Amino acid sequence: MPRPREFDEDRVVLAVRDAFWDRGYAATSMDDLLRVSGLGKGSLYGAFGDKHRLFLRVLREYDDANLRGLRERLEAAPRGVDMVREFVLGVAGDPTGAAARRGCLLANSTAELATSTPDVAAEARRSYDAITALLTEALERGQREGDVDPDADAAETARAVLAAQLGVVALGRTGMDLAELTAVARSALARLLPAPSR
Amino acid sequence: MPRPREFDEDRVVLAVRDAFWDRGYAATSMDDLLRVSGLGKGSLYGAFGDKHRLFLRVLREYDDANLRGLRERLEAAPRGVDMVREFVLGVAGDPTGAAARRGCLLANSTAELATSTPDVAAEARRSYDAITALLTEALERGQREGDVDPDADAAETARAVLAAQLGVVALGRTGMDLAELTAVARSALARLLPAPSR
DNA sequence: GGTGTTCTGGACGGAACGGTCAACAACTAG
DNA sequence: CTAGTTGTTGACCGTTCCGTCCAGAACACC
């Protein structure tokens, strides 16, 4: 019997996500969020709660989408190692450099908020653990497929790959030249994923 | 003939730095800065300008101190490769984990502000370029000293090491278990700095 | 068509924001 | 001791902040 929503919840979450992504949490005002979402104050508060709750929801959905994408890429990849390489090289994938400059919402949020907001730190741990598990799986497949040194510890390598990727993300945020950023990614990958000594 | 300052400028910069470091730029209010510095409004504005200018000064001095420390460690290190290892492992060096959770002021600031504040992005590039140069120097010394594969490109390796360190810093900020963080650092180092094949 | 429930938009409040300014204090140079 | 210069303090300003609340609108159900 209630009056139905006039807006699409997912669309609002994406619009709000972009605002937080571009400005950071603290620098994004509720007025900004109302503007980009097109909602009135009552609607936004009614549907999502206050700024903090809204942000956490946005962050969780962002992470979930990310993990889903990685999982799909792993399944679709001809070889396990391809997914690992894409994961690192993809940071510099957008030829305009805009994506690299924008960085990763989770990484940005962790850097800004992890100290003051335990929820964000916990979300980051959850997400990075899941990514590590996926990378481990990909590397183990790579070992079976003969692309990765079978003597290497896949889980350890996965952690190193994640660190390298996070580093490339951080460097991309400085506006570093895209060719150089790609070179960093390649250089790290070449050293982290030595071909099996056959 | 002027009236002399009643405060020590460097002490104020350090106190303000800690405030920015703990809360981030946007979440730190001028009142916070007045409290931690002990100054009145007129004094702080008179000596350092507005919040933005004060922050940039703090960030530059932080970076300079960092670079100075790295240079000294390189000069003091028995072997070039020691400085490289310290650079990465040092992130998890504080046994309480507080330093790891705090992260790096420059990295945090870049993640929060690089998009909206070109000055911060430029400062980050400047700093990371200088660190890369130092790491390259250390690695070249390591090659001469027989600790680093002489066939590796030192500059490329330096970039990969920097990325790995930034990644470890990012992971440390999530509150990841300290032993695990150390393992990540070791794992990355072991793969980035293969012993020379003698 | 009436009724009950939810949604909507904006007015509103109190607090906190960054920044200015003027009156006063503290010193130096002569 | 006087004059001149700078430092200090805190009141003050206009703006923006987040969040609440309410009057009215839009639907579903009976």
Side-chain angles (χ1 to χ4, degrees):
Chain A
M1 29 234 230
R3 171 178 176 180
R5 289 264 166 79
E6 286 183 7
F7 59 91
D8 176 31
E9 210 162 290
D10 291 341
R11 231 213 39 209
V12 168
V13 168
L14 287 184
V16 165
R17 179 204 65 180
D18 286 340
F20 280 131
W21 203 343
D22 287 333
R23 304 166 195 265
Y25 175 77
T28 304
S29 70
M30 286 304 292
D31 281 347
D32 289 333
L33 300 178
L34 296 177
R35 201 169 31 78
V36 301
S37 68
L39 297 191
K41 230 158 195 187
S43 303
L44 197 63
Y45 274 89
F48 301 99
D50 64 12
K51 190 186 177 185
H52 180 250
R53 281 177 50 83
L54 173 55
F55 176 75
L56 279 182
R57 159 133 183 212
V58 163
L59 189 59
R60 291 215 177 91
E61 295 201 9
Y62 171 87
D63 284 342
D64 289 343
N66 243 350
L67 292 170
R68 223 177 305 129
L70 282 178
R71 221 170 276 130
E72 281 164 14
R73 271 197 271 168
L74 174 54
E75 282 160 18
R79 301 181 151 259
V81 75
D82 291 338
M83 176 269 204
V84 179
R85 299 184 59 81
E86 266 181 47
F87 175 65
V88 179
L89 287 169
V91 177
D94 170 20
T96 72
R101 251 173 283 121
R102 205 181 201 199
C104 164
L105 175 62
L106 176 61
N108 295 349
S109 305
T110 304
E112 183 187 351
L113 301 170
T115 307
S116 55
T117 314
D119 292 338
V120 171
E123 174 64 21
R125 284 195 300 274
R126 178 186 80 94
S127 191
Y128 291 142
D129 279 351
I131 293 174
T132 303
L134 278 172
L135 287 172
T136 304
E137 200 182 319
L139 288 167
E140 285 169 347
R141 209 181 111 190
Q143 289 177 321
R144 288 194 300 274
E145 292 166 346
D147 296 321
V148 177
D149 179 4
D151 293 334
D153 182 321
E156 261 194 20
T157 308
R159 293 237 179 257
V161 168
L162 173 59
Q165 196 258 7
L166 288 173
V168 173
V169 168
L171 286 174
R173 203 132 165 72
T174 68
M176 171 187 271
D177 180 76
L178 212 57
E180 203 177 339
L181 192 64
T182 304
V184 178
R186 279 191 204 287
S187 154
L189 272 176
R191 289 165 173 77
L192 294 176
L193 296 181
S197 54
R198 246 177 296 159
Chain B
M1 31 235 235
R3 171 178 177 180
R5 288 264 168 81
E6 286 181 7
F7 58 91
D8 176 30
E9 210 162 290
D10 290 341
R11 232 213 39 211
V12 168
V13 168
L14 288 184
V16 165
R17 179 204 66 180
D18 286 340
F20 279 132
W21 204 342
D22 287 332
R23 305 165 195 267
Y25 176 78
T28 304
S29 70
M30 287 305 292
D31 280 347
D32 289 332
L33 300 178
L34 296 178
R35 201 167 32 77
V36 301
S37 68
L39 297 192
K41 230 160 195 189
S43 300
L44 198 62
Y45 274 89
F48 301 99
D50 64 12
K51 190 185 177 186
H52 181 249
R53 281 176 51 83
L54 172 55
F55 177 75
L56 279 181
R57 159 131 182 214
V58 162
L59 189 60
R60 292 215 177 91
E61 294 200 9
Y62 172 88
D63 285 343
D64 289 343
N66 244 350
L67 292 170
R68 224 177 305 129
L70 282 178
R71 222 170 276 129
E72 281 164 14
R73 272 198 269 168
L74 174 55
E75 282 161 16
R79 301 180 151 260
V81 75
D82 291 339
M83 177 270 204
V84 179
R85 297 183 60 82
E86 266 181 47
F87 175 65
V88 179
L89 287 169
V91 176
D94 170 21
T96 73
R101 250 173 283 121
R102 204 180 202 199
C104 164
L105 175 62
L106 176 61
N108 295 349
S109 305
T110 304
E112 183 186 353
L113 302 169
T115 307
S116 55
T117 315
D119 292 338
V120 171
E123 174 64 21
R125 285 195 299 273
R126 178 187 79 95
S127 191
Y128 291 142
D129 279 350
I131 293 175
T132 302
L134 278 172
L135 287 173
T136 304
E137 199 182 319
L139 289 167
E140 284 168 350
R141 209 182 110 191
Q143 289 177 322
R144 288 193 301 274
E145 291 165 346
D147 296 320
V148 177
D149 179 2
D151 293 334
D153 182 319
E156 260 193 20
T157 307
R159 294 237 178 256
V161 167
L162 173 58
Q165 196 258 8
L166 288 173
V168 174
V169 168
L171 286 174
R173 201 131 166 72
T174 67
M176 170 186 272
D177 180 76
L178 212 57
E180 203 177 339
L181 192 64
T182 305
V184 178
R186 278 192 206 287
S187 156
L189 272 176
R191 289 165 173 77
L192 295 176
L193 296 181
S197 55
R198 251 177 296 161

